[in-house]
Amino acid sequence: MTMPSLHGLLRPLGSTGLLVSPLGLGTVKLGRDQGVKYPSGFRIPDDTEAAALLDQARALGINLIDTAPAYGRSEERLGPLLAGQRDAWVIVSKVGEEFEDGQSRFDFSPAHTRRSVERSLQRLQTDRLELVLVHSDGHDVEVLRDSGVYETLAELKREGKILAFGLSGKTVEGGLLALAAGDCAMVTYNLNEQSERPVLDYAAAHGKGILIKKALASGHACLAPGEDPVRKSFELIFGHPGTTSAIIGTINPVHLAHNVRTAAAVLAQSKN
C-alpha cells in the first residue's frame, strides 16, 4: 500500500508561473529557538536530522520551503542542505525583519532590502529566490506605501534575482494592497483566527497567490474531544478557493507524515 502523498497535486501560485505543493515546509525551527510562540519547547535539529526531514518532505511531494533572515541560522543551514537538489524546490524567503541577540528589528529601506536579498542568495547558495515576502512589523500599509520596499522588490524581479514578491502581513488592508501591487500574500487563517479572509477572497477573484501561515494555530488549535484538529484545519483552509498552500513548521517526522496524509485526504474529498 502506497503512502498518501502530495505528488501530482501541485498548484499555481497565482499568476507567477510557479507551481507549488499544497503544503510547504516552514523552517524557523531549523534556525531559531528563541522568541518563538509554540506550546512546547524543542531542540533545533542537527544537520543529519534536518537533511532527513527535507528528504522526507520531498518524498512526500512537498516542493515549497519557507525561510527568512529572521529565522536565525535557517537560511545558511539550508544552503548546504539543498546542494544538488536546488531545482526540486520553490524557495520563499523574506526581507525587513532581522533577529539578533534575541530581539527583532525592522528595516524596510531600499538599501537594506537589496542587501538582504543578496545575502539570502549567498546563504542559500543560489542564483534566484522564487518568492520574497516583506516580513511586516504590523504596519502593513505604511510599510508598503512609504518605505520603498515594494519598488525595490519589483526591481529585483526585473533583474531576475527574485521571481515573485509579496507581503507576509497582519492586516486585511495590507494584504489587499500587497496583492494589488504584487504577486502573493501570506496570511494567518486557521480555526482560531479568520479575520484576514477578505484577502483570500480578493486573491481568488484576481488570480493572486496565497500562502497560509499559522495554519494549525502554531499547535494551539482547540476542538471538541475526538476531532482531529489537523483535518479540521485543512478542511477550513483548502475549502477556500483563494488558498494556494499552507506552511507547516514541523520538525517531527511523524507529524509531517500525518499532515501530508491528512491534506491529501482533504484535497481528494474536495474533488469528489
Side-chain angles (χ1 to χ4, degrees):
M1 186 174 160
T2 57
M3 275 283 293
S5 77
L6 302 175
H7 289 289
L9 297 176
L10 297 183
R11 306 147 75 90
L13 184 70
S15 57
T16 63
L18 298 167
L19 292 173
V20 299
S21 48
L23 294 185
L25 184 66
T27 63
V28 64
K29 290 182 179 178
L30 293 188
R32 170 177 162 184
D33 58 3
Q34 298 174 281
V36 286
K37 297 169 184 164
Y38 294 101
S40 56
F42 63 92
R43 176 183 61 79
I44 293 176
D46 63 27
D47 282 351
T48 303
E49 293 165 325
L53 188 77
L54 291 168
D55 287 346
Q56 180 192 10
R58 191 174 165 192
L60 290 169
I62 291 174
N63 79 333
L64 180 65
I65 196 159
D66 176 73
T67 184
Y71 294 173
R73 294 184 57 244
S74 174
E75 285 185 324
E76 56 198 275
R77 293 192 70 199
L78 283 169
L81 287 167
L82 298 181
Q85 50 177 304
R86 174 65 183 89
D87 290 344
W89 295 97
V90 171
I91 296 181
V92 182
S93 194
K94 307 188 186 75
V95 294
E97 182 179 355
E98 301 286 327
F99 184 77
E100 296 157 349
D101 303 319
Q103 298 289 319
S104 281
R105 67 176 180 83
F106 295 89
D107 186 342
F108 303 103
S109 67
H112 183 267
T113 299
R114 181 170 284 276
R115 204 159 50 237
S116 179
V117 168
E118 299 278 8
R119 184 186 61 191
S120 292
L121 291 169
Q122 286 181 334
R123 286 176 172 175
L124 289 158
Q125 300 177 15
T126 185
D127 61 351
R128 86 280 179 190
L129 299 170
E130 279 80 6
L131 177 64
V132 173
L133 301 174
V134 179
H135 219 161
S136 179
D137 61 358
H139 300 94
D140 298 350
V141 172
E142 293 90 334
V143 166
L144 294 181
R145 195 182 55 207
D146 303 332
S147 70
V149 65
Y150 241 36
E151 292 82 354
T152 307
L153 291 176
E155 286 174 12
L156 289 160
K157 181 178 175 180
R158 287 192 292 272
E159 293 165 19
K161 291 176 180 173
I162 70 177
L163 304 187
F165 64 91
L167 172 79
S168 176
K170 300 185 180 178
T171 65
V172 169
E173 297 78 14
L176 295 175
L177 182 57
L179 291 181
D183 302 302
C184 180
M186 181 181 272
V187 301
T188 299
Y189 189 63
N190 59 47
L191 293 171
N192 299 347
E193 175 57 65
Q194 294 154 45
S195 64
E196 292 175 73
R197 184 186 173 105
V199 184
L200 279 80
D201 296 341
Y202 182 97
H206 294 84
K208 299 287 186 169
I210 289 285
L211 302 182
I212 304 295
K213 57 184 171 181
K214 302 186 175 79
L216 303 178
S218 298
H220 296 279
C222 297
L223 286 172
E227 289 192 293
D228 179 357
V230 175
R231 186 174 188 105
K232 286 290 180 185
S233 297
F234 289 160
E235 285 174 351
L236 171 76
I237 289 165
F238 294 115
H240 196 294
T243 299
T244 310
S245 183
I247 306 299
I248 306 297
T250 187
I251 50 173
N252 182 316
V254 176
H255 291 172
L256 181 59
H258 175 62
N259 290 340
V260 167
R261 187 166 60 244
T262 307
V266 167
L267 290 164
Q269 184 183 41
S270 67
K271 277 185 187 173
N272 298 336

